[in-house]
Amino acid sequence: MSEAFVAYEAVRHRLPAVVRDGACQRLPDLDALADSTDTFLLDAFGVLNIGETAIEGAPARVAGLQNAGKRVVVVSNAAGYPHSTLMEKYKRLGYDFAPEDVITSRKTVLHALSSEPKRRWGLVAQESFGDEGIEHLDFAFLSDDASDYDAVDGFLMLGSSNWTDERQALLEASLTRTARPVFVGNPDIVAPREHGFSTEPGHFAHQLADRTGTVPQFFGKPFMNIFELAFEQLGGCDPARTVMVGDSLHTDILGGQIAGTKTALIAGFGFFDGHDVSQPIATSGIVPDFILDRP
């Protein structure tokens, strides 16, 4: 946890500024927020699941909120997965979300690309997932051929499960030769898995920014663009009765504050599992409204 926290702190100059403090009220779980909340915006990793495993009790708790008439929307930086793959995963884990109630950073960056000039994109993503949702783009999956990097007009980073230090070096060298846009569909630096943390596109994006001077455009939490898409999907909601729930201060909690909602930090799972959250909150100055032991 500490190494990942330090990594987020090191890139604060590229994240939105803190806009307010929260009360840090400690509560047991999501049910404790039900009376004061109409809309729950839930992160996925660390709230719904750890890797490919549902958090014990979370599917039943989410179903209970849905049955009580609460609007429950997933707001996730899961840009690497096609939407149908993500929906199948949630169903397999025991969740019942409507497709329109899963808002991802993948949807967010693709929405932004619809108003961008036409470009040939170099794609950082897992090719085995196919081209669902991106088939309309002119793109090439990037791998180990250096010439592919110089042959594109911009770079689109969706997933890093197959990305390597060698490929990162090719990308940085190409950007050093010729500056081009870099769109990042997942600002996460890490994500909690069953056996530790995975390295996510945000890590590589900040690294190339430090080394090449190219400033990427980020899509997803903590940036406002993903919340604008979520609010559009919701058709409006009362921020005072909406809560962003997540396990990360620098993405979920900071993002919820930027969006004007209440925020709840999951302390017992995901990013801070097994660690006291008091010191990271004090160090970062990112202070949630609520701290929950579990989803």
Side-chain angles (χ1 to χ4, degrees), residues 103-163:
I103 308 297
T104 64
S105 54
R106 184 186 183 95
K107 280 186 176 181
T108 308
V109 69
L110 293 177
H111 178 74
L113 287 180
S114 65
S115 59
E116 284 289 309
K118 186 175 181 179
R119 296 185 178 101
R120 172 76 169 170
W121 294 96
L123 188 62
V124 178
Q126 178 61 260
E127 190 169 359
S128 64
F129 284 144
D131 63 357
E132 179 190 318
I134 57 174
E135 63 272 8
H136 62 289
L137 298 177
D138 182 10
F139 71 90
F141 286 102
L142 296 176
S143 57
D144 301 316
D145 187 340
S147 64
D148 290 342
Y149 294 74
D150 290 337
V152 299
D153 306 311
F155 299 95
L156 177 59
M157 306 182 77
L158 295 181
S160 55
S161 60
N162 66 339
W163 199 239

Side-chain angles (χ1 to χ4, degrees), residues 8 59 148 154 161 180 233:
Y8 275 112
D148 290 342
S161 60
R180 281 152 291 168
Q233 182 63 55

Side-chain angles (χ1 to χ4, degrees), residues 77-271:
N77 284 352
Y81 295 99
H83 197 68
S84 64
T85 302
L86 210 53
M87 296 307 301
E88 290 168 3
K89 174 181 178 177
Y90 293 143
K91 182 177 180 180
R92 183 176 71 253
L93 296 182
Y95 296 103
D96 183 18
F97 296 115
E100 62 271 19
D101 284 345
V102 176
I103 308 297
T104 64
S105 54
R106 184 186 183 95
K107 280 186 176 181
T108 308
V109 69
L110 293 177
H111 178 74
L113 287 180
S114 65
S115 59
E116 284 289 309
K118 186 175 181 179
R119 296 185 178 101
R120 172 76 169 170
W121 294 96
L123 188 62
V124 178
Q126 178 61 260
E127 190 169 359
S128 64
F129 284 144
D131 63 357
E132 179 190 318
I134 57 174
E135 63 272 8
H136 62 289
L137 298 177
D138 182 10
F139 71 90
F141 286 102
L142 296 176
S143 57
D144 301 316
D145 187 340
S147 64
D148 290 342
Y149 294 74
D150 290 337
V152 299
D153 306 311
F155 299 95
L156 177 59
M157 306 182 77
L158 295 181
S160 55
S161 60
N162 66 339
W163 199 239
T164 64
D165 289 339
E166 291 75 19
R167 293 176 181 183
Q168 177 73 5
L170 292 175
L171 173 57
E172 292 171 8
S174 183
L175 281 169
T176 300
R177 286 190 292 271
T178 308
R180 281 152 291 168
V182 178
F183 280 31
V184 183
N186 182 352
D188 286 356
I189 292 176
V190 298
R193 304 279 178 171
E194 288 89 344
H195 305 290
F197 291 100
S198 60
T199 303
E200 298 299 315
H203 165 82
F204 296 104
H206 288 294
Q207 181 174 288
L208 72 83
D210 291 337
R211 294 178 178 177
T212 71
T214 295
V215 180
Q217 296 185 59
F218 292 96
F219 297 86
K221 298 170 296 181
F223 299 91
M224 188 62 194
N225 42 48
I226 192 169
F227 292 97
E228 290 172 341
L229 194 62
F231 294 155
E232 179 181 329
Q233 182 63 55
L234 285 165
C237 59
D238 180 359
R241 294 187 62 83
T242 301
V243 62
M244 176 68 222
V245 182
D247 68 320
S248 168
L249 291 169
H250 295 89
T251 57
D252 305 310
I253 304 307
L254 181 58
Q257 290 179 349
I258 295 300
T261 71
K262 293 181 179 179
T263 60
L265 178 68
I266 302 296
F269 295 84
F271 195 94

Side-chain angles (χ1 to χ4, degrees), residues 44-73:
F45 280 67
V47 177
L48 301 177
N49 57 283
I50 302 295
E52 300 301 311
T53 306
I55 292 177
E56 184 179 359
R61 201 172 321 276
V62 168
L65 294 173
Q66 292 170 322
N67 291 336
K70 307 297 180 180
R71 187 74 183 270
V72 183
V73 176

Side-chain angles (χ1 to χ4, degrees), residues 18-35:
V18 172
V19 294
R20 66 173 179 86
D21 284 343
C24 271
Q25 181 182 357
R26 287 190 173 265
L27 296 171
D29 53 43
L30 292 172
D31 285 343
L33 297 173
D35 289 344

